[in-house]
Amino acid sequence: MFKKILIANRGEIALRVIRTCREMGIKTVAVYSTADAESLHVRFADEAVCIGPPQSSESYLKMSNIISAAEITNADAIHPGYGFLSENAKFSKLCDEHHIKFIGATGEMIDQMGDKANAKSTMKAAGVPCVPGSEGVIIDFKDCEKVALETGYPVMLKASAGGGGKGMRAVWKAEDLKDAWDSARQESKAAFGNDDMYMEKLIEEPRHIEIQIIGDSFGKACHLSERDCSVQRRHQKLTEETPSPFMTDELREKMGAAAVLAAEYIKYEGAGTVEFLVDKHRNFFFMEMNTRIQVEHPITEEVVNYDLIREQILVAAGVPISGKNYYPKMHAIECRINAEDPHANFRPAPGKITTFHAPGGHGIRIDTHVYAGYMIPPNYDSMIAKLITTAQTREEAINKMKRALDEFVIEGVKTTIPFHRQLMDHPDYISGNYTTKFMEDFVMK
Ligand code: MV4
């Protein structure tokens, strides 16, 4: 087992990893930028190394500084958390070259899944259901027109280097194809330095349902059921829940089996997520695979009673998984509390937290790095806490969430608490009848 793990991240996820390491008797090294000198991950780790100034590009993304910090402190593994270097193929390879275990996917795996057209071809070959469309990358506009006709309008043009909606265009009729093709390619080139495009049939009003998987170094994988992440705004998730209110036992079996098939086909090692689009007829299609631990992992932990960070560390150390799949025994909901003003278009609202009173009691989990007196730096994402409720039923989990949101007091900065409180009273949320379009029609009171 590892003796010392360096956590190449900040905020709540750095704390989350430190906590499990402590329970496992593994020493921890925090890295931090000068903006995070007062952060809890620095205080709770056994050692801490400053890696640069506030800008991420000069600190949490600075590979050479992080590798140096690991070498100076004799860390034998690096946990990248989510974001930053967690899906950076070059960094994964660099860790390898320095004989430091990267607790995540290999560089080759990240490359393979990072190219979306390639990831889709691989999944299709594995036998995982995919949205009909182009066979890989589209060669030119003539090819684009041909594929659109064969697929049938409406279609979706997608950037192969994309993800998060960048370089993506829905096209409803042939006359709009040229403009969409040109602008999507331009956007993709600017964002990723690559303008490879592929095409799919447009799935109207889909749900975003993802399956958590974990694979070991012996080629065996299992799934831990689903998370419904359909409540998103501009491709940012706001709240997630498990089980999905749209799920049936039959669909879970099929999607779980497809996700395990995907993982085992590529000999995936570590924790990962297979994202699916699910249409109104409960047809499901592979969308993307995430090769990291995700923000919303705690709801899965709560309903299947499983520490995902612990299992990530164990499989990275060469321990085999049990092999069985995990099914939800409870219902869990996560609300992402961001320092944003929901009444002003969710505009980021960094600043000093003057009062912080977290809710407590049965079935409440809060993953956060903030405290009263904490200054939220403007340099990073705006998530300041995750509020997770767990109960026997969905209705109880919602009622518990309402109670917890009412108890939560954060003063000094605007937060998304009022948004979540309103959401928990929304008839379409309560009925479970929501899709990825839900936030388009949502208005704050
Ligand atoms: C789609 C789609 C409809 N049809 N693909 C958005 C992010 C990118 N990773 C994939 N996305 C979508 N792909 C087809 N063929 C609709 C979306 C989509 C979406 C997906 C999941 C969650 C929220 C979304 C919001 C808008 C569009």
Side-chain angles (χ1 to χ4, degrees), residues 108-391:
E108 291 72 28
M109 198 71 72
I110 295 171
D111 277 334
Q112 194 180 7
M113 290 299 124
D115 179 316
K116 310 301 175 196
N118 183 59
K120 187 177 171 183
S121 306
T122 306
M123 289 308 152
K124 199 177 162 191
V128 178
C130 294
V131 188
S134 63
E135 290 292 334
V137 173
I138 300 167
I139 311 158
D140 53 21
F141 184 66
K142 217 180 131 216
D143 186 30
C144 180
E145 282 181 300
K146 183 169 157 271
V147 177
L149 279 178
E150 286 166 3
T151 307
Y153 288 91
V155 296
M156 189 75 118
L157 268 172
K158 291 186 171 184
S160 193
K166 271 238 172 70
M168 193 175 83
R169 293 288 183 283
V171 188
W172 295 82
K173 48 191 195 301
E175 65 188 77
D176 295 337
L177 191 62
K178 183 74 170 84
D179 282 353
W181 167 257
D182 289 338
S183 72
R185 288 184 65 199
Q186 212 174 358
E187 188 174 309
S188 181
K189 186 84 189 175
F192 315 111
N194 174 306
D195 57 10
D196 285 351
M197 305 295 296
Y198 65 107
M199 187 184 284
E200 291 183 345
K201 178 93 188 158
L202 178 81
I203 309 295
E204 291 178 59
E205 306 204 15
R207 284 187 168 252
H208 170 141
I209 301 179
E210 57 189 32
I211 303 282
Q212 176 72 54
I213 56 105
I214 190 158
D216 66 20
S217 52
F218 305 91
K220 183 83 197 147
C222 72
H223 76 77
L224 297 96
S225 299
E226 81 280 3
R227 293 184 288 260
D228 195 318
C229 308
S230 301
V231 182
Q232 304 195 3
R233 187 183 168 276
R234 300 191 183 164
H235 304 290
Q236 291 292 327
K237 293 169 187 168
L238 295 165
T239 178
E240 308 90 355
E241 65 177 315
T242 179
S244 166
F246 198 61
M247 192 51 71
T248 63
D249 289 345
E250 189 193 349
L251 182 60
R252 184 179 294 111
E253 277 312 316
K254 286 197 212 155
M255 290 179 68
V260 170
L261 185 67
E264 291 189 344
Y265 185 80
I266 61 175
K267 298 196 165 47
Y268 188 77
E269 187 191 316
T273 305
V274 186
E275 296 184 346
F276 294 100
L277 288 172
V278 183
D279 73 13
K280 60 173 178 277
H281 309 292
R282 291 195 173 78
N283 296 307
F284 65 93
F285 308 97
F286 171 78
M287 182 162 54
E288 280 175 27
M289 180 162 180
N290 297 320
T291 58
R292 60 167 192 277
I293 192 78
Q294 287 187 277
V295 173
E296 61 272 24
H297 77 276
I299 58 171
T300 298
E301 297 191 317
E302 295 305 312
V303 301
V304 305
N305 190 25
Y306 186 101
D307 181 337
L308 275 161
I309 304 289
R310 177 187 163 87
E311 300 300 324
Q312 269 191 306
I313 294 169
L314 289 174
V315 299
V319 177
I321 58 168
S322 75
K324 68 177 173 94
N325 298 319
Y326 292 78
Y327 295 92
K329 294 180 174 65
M330 306 279 277
H331 196 98
I333 302 172
E334 169 178 277
C335 288
R336 298 188 185 194
I337 313 298
N338 296 343
E340 294 171 357
D341 184 355
H343 290 100
N345 234 341
F346 291 81
R347 173 178 62 205
K352 192 183 175 113
I353 294 175
T354 52
T355 309
F356 187 83
H357 177 84
H362 183 229
I364 306 280
R365 169 173 170 180
I366 293 159
D367 281 18
T368 186
H369 61 293
V370 313
Y371 49 86
Y374 178 78
M375 182 77 196
I376 304 164
N379 315 82
Y380 313 106
D381 78 5
S382 59
M383 195 177 74
I384 54 171
K386 302 190 295 203
L387 171 57
I388 301 121
T389 63
T390 307

Side-chain angles (χ1 to χ4, degrees), residues 41-167:
H41 77 283
V42 175
R43 288 211 261 161
F44 287 3
D46 294 298
E47 292 170 75
V49 182
C50 182
I51 50 163
Q55 310 92 282
S56 301
S57 59
E58 300 304 313
S59 50
Y60 298 106
L61 290 171
K62 194 92 182 165
M63 300 185 211
S64 54
N65 291 10
I66 294 168
I67 297 286
S68 298
E71 290 191 322
I72 291 164
T73 56
N74 252 317
D76 41 19
I78 293 182
H79 194 301
Y82 49 70
F84 296 124
L85 298 169
S86 61
E87 290 174 289
N88 187 303
K90 197 172 149 204
F91 185 65
S92 178
K93 289 173 190 167
L94 199 59
C95 289
D96 238 26
E97 284 160 22
H98 288 261
H99 309 287
I100 300 163
K101 178 70 186 180
F102 180 76
I103 304 176
T106 59
E108 291 72 28
M109 198 71 72
I110 295 171
D111 277 334
Q112 194 180 7
M113 290 299 124
D115 179 316
K116 310 301 175 196
N118 183 59
K120 187 177 171 183
S121 306
T122 306
M123 289 308 152
K124 199 177 162 191
V128 178
C130 294
V131 188
S134 63
E135 290 292 334
V137 173
I138 300 167
I139 311 158
D140 53 21
F141 184 66
K142 217 180 131 216
D143 186 30
C144 180
E145 282 181 300
K146 183 169 157 271
V147 177
L149 279 178
E150 286 166 3
T151 307
Y153 288 91
V155 296
M156 189 75 118
L157 268 172
K158 291 186 171 184
S160 193
K166 271 238 172 70

Side-chain angles (χ1 to χ4, degrees), residues 405-420:
L405 288 163
D406 287 339
E407 239 178 77
F408 218 147
V409 183
I410 301 176
E411 286 171 349
V413 297
K414 292 277 201 318
T415 77
T416 50
I417 290 173
F419 159 74
H420 290 296

